[in-house]
Every structure is written in C-alpha cells, then in structure tokens.
Amino acid sequence: DTGVSQNPRHKITKRGQNVTFRCDPISEHNRLYWYRQTLGQGPEFLTYFQNEAQLEKSRLLSDRFSAERPKGSFSTLEIQRTEQGDSAMYLCASSSRINEKLFFGSGTQLSVL
Amino acid sequence: QQQVKQSPQSLIVQKGGISIINCAYENTAFDYFPWYQQFPGKGPALLIAIRPDVSEKKEGRFTISFNKSAKQFSLHIMDSQPGDSATYFCAASPQFQGAQKLVFGQGTRLTINP
C-alpha cells in the first residue's frame, strides 16, 4: 500500500494521559499536514511540515500538542495531559512539491474518557 | 473571513438524478477550491478541484461550477449512483509556497436511493 498510513487507527485514553500518533506519508512527498476532524464537521488545519521543518501551526494547536517530523519522513503528533475536548479524528495528509493534490490517511480516532 | 459555508447539510437523491451541493466563501485570498468525498471510517479523498481562472471544470460525472463575483462554487454529480452515497466537503485554500491550509465546509451527507 503506497498511501498515507496512520497508526494507531483507534486510541482510547483516560483524561490526563499522554498519547502519540504516527503518520507515514506517501514516499517522496515532502509536505506533511495534520488536521483534526470532530463528528459532523469538516477537518480543521493543525500544522504543516515541509521536509523536517514545521512551517506553520494553527491557533488550534495548544501548548499541549507537539508535532515532529525527524529527517523529513514520518511524523508524530503528541498530545500531553489529554482532555475530553481532544476527542476527535486526527488526520494526516501529504503532498509532493510538484503535485498539489493532498492525500489523506484514514486517521486516528481518539477517545478521551 | 476564513469560513466556507456549505449547504445543504443532507441530501437525498434518486438513482440517476443530479446531486447539487453548494458552497460560499468570504476570503478573497482563496484561490484553490477542491471537493472531497469521505466514506465512514476513511479519510477524505480528493474528487475534483478548480482555480478561479475558470468557471467550470468537468471530470467524468463530477462538475464544479465557480462564480468568482458571487464567491460561490458548487458540485454537480450527474447520474448519481448508490456508490456515491458519502459525505462531501468543499474546501478552499490560499496558495502560499505550495502549502495547502485547507478550510473545509461542514459537509453534506449525500444518500442516493436505488
């Protein structure tokens, strides 16, 4: 499978715990994005990487959220001290320098109890 | 100014009919307008996209109509099929160094009755 891969698919955690999600973009895609989608809503932009550089962060990304993309390959999104309001689908997407099309993964569904 | 408003929230169409979903935007800096299709448990998949220099783009059964002066665009699905039943999102983005900070509409749940 050469699409965007996200792990885990589902994560259930207790409030206050830390969670980390992983995204493997399409090979050779240098741009990687994180979006968040709540039930019944469209995805919302969180942050964006070009290679290993995090170029932009949305105001939605509080200090409890941190994203990394070491070596410009896979990316991780960590949420510290999770809150019930963090419950959502976290989507990763990637695109190439040449082709502007954005390809999304199937997401990680987070439930904070 | 960042909003994209989408309507209707839900739509039921008979098989073979035309499905029409509308979107309106406010930010004149937007210059890329894609439509995404999302099935339950999956991420959004790009269907078709348009830039403001054309008023219409057609790919197979899917057509985008774009009205720059009204800041509106719409998706038409011709000969709608049960397999088209999904949630559809319009989106818009200002292009900056190739990045796509997409602003999505709230989605339209489309049901095609056989």
Side-chain angles (χ1 to χ4, degrees), chain B residues 1 3 5 13 18 22 24 29 33-34 38-40 46 49 51-52 59 63-64 67 70 77 85 95 98 106:
Chain B
Q1 200 175 13
Q3 277 189 320
K5 295 181 180 178
V13 175
I18 303 173
N22 301 298
F33 303 89
Q38 186 174 30
F39 293 104
L46 178 65
R51 292 195 176 276
E59 289 183 1
T63 300
I64 298 180
N67 185 329
I77 305 175
S85 297
Q95 285 284 292
Q106 290 189 306

Side-chain angles (χ1 to χ4, degrees), chain A residues 36 38 83-88 90 112:
Chain A
R36 180 172 68 187
T38 53
E83 301 173 356
Q84 287 185 326
D86 297 331
S87 295
Y90 289 84
V112 181

Side-chain angles (χ1 to χ4, degrees), chain A residues 9 31 33 35 37 40-43 45 48 50 56 91 100-102 104-106, chain B residues 32 36 38 41-44 46 51 89 95 97-102 104-106:
Chain A
R9 289 297 312 277
R31 293 186 172 90
Y33 305 77
Y35 283 76
Q37 185 176 24
Q41 301 295 317
F45 171 82
Y48 151 65
Q50 182 166 304
E56 190 159 354
L91 292 162
E100 64 196 2
K101 292 182 180 180
L102 206 57
F104 282 87
S106 291
Chain B
Y32 176 70
Y36 281 83
Q38 186 174 30
K42 298 290 187 182
L46 178 65
R51 292 195 176 276
F89 292 96
Q95 285 284 292
Q97 297 179 345
Q100 284 202 28
K101 283 176 53 181
L102 291 170
F104 283 84
Q106 290 189 306

Side-chain angles (χ1 to χ4, degrees), chain A:
Chain A
D1 183 23
T2 57
V4 177
S5 176
Q6 291 189 247
N7 289 289
R9 289 297 312 277
H10 304 274
K11 179 71 177 178
I12 299 174
T13 191
K14 292 182 179 179
R15 189 176 55 183
Q17 297 295 303
N18 298 345
V19 293
T20 300
F21 312 138
R22 176 179 171 126
C23 171
D24 288 273
I26 293 172
S27 264
E28 299 176 358
H29 275 191
N30 66 329
R31 293 186 172 90
L32 186 147
Y33 305 77
W34 285 98
Y35 283 76
R36 180 172 68 187
Q37 185 176 24
T38 53
L39 197 62
Q41 301 295 317
E44 296 173 294
F45 171 82
L46 292 179
T47 189
Y48 151 65
F49 290 84
Q50 182 166 304
N51 300 312
E52 66 275 7
Q54 188 173 17
L55 296 186
E56 190 159 354
K57 292 168 61 174
S58 162
R59 280 172 287 182
L60 294 173
L61 218 61
S62 76
D63 291 344
R64 297 183 297 104
F65 288 70
S66 63
E68 294 182 343
R69 193 184 181 196
K71 302 178 183 178
S73 56
F74 70 93
S75 175
T76 58
L77 178 66
E78 181 183 17
I79 309 174
Q80 296 182 326
R81 305 181 303 282
T82 52
E83 301 173 356
Q84 287 185 326
D86 297 331
S87 295
M89 172 80 82
Y90 289 84
L91 292 162
C92 177
S94 69
S95 67
S96 69
R97 187 184 188 91
I98 298 171
N99 187 336
E100 64 196 2
K101 292 182 180 180
L102 206 57
F103 294 88
F104 282 87
S106 291
T108 294
Q109 181 67 52
L110 173 66
S111 298
V112 181
L113 304 179

Side-chain angles (χ1 to χ4, degrees), chain B residues 11-13 19 21 77 84-88 108-112:
Chain B
L11 180 62
I12 300 174
V13 175
S19 304
I21 305 170
I77 305 175
D84 296 331
S85 297
T87 300
Y88 292 80
T108 297
R109 180 173 289 185
L110 174 65
T111 302
I112 307 299

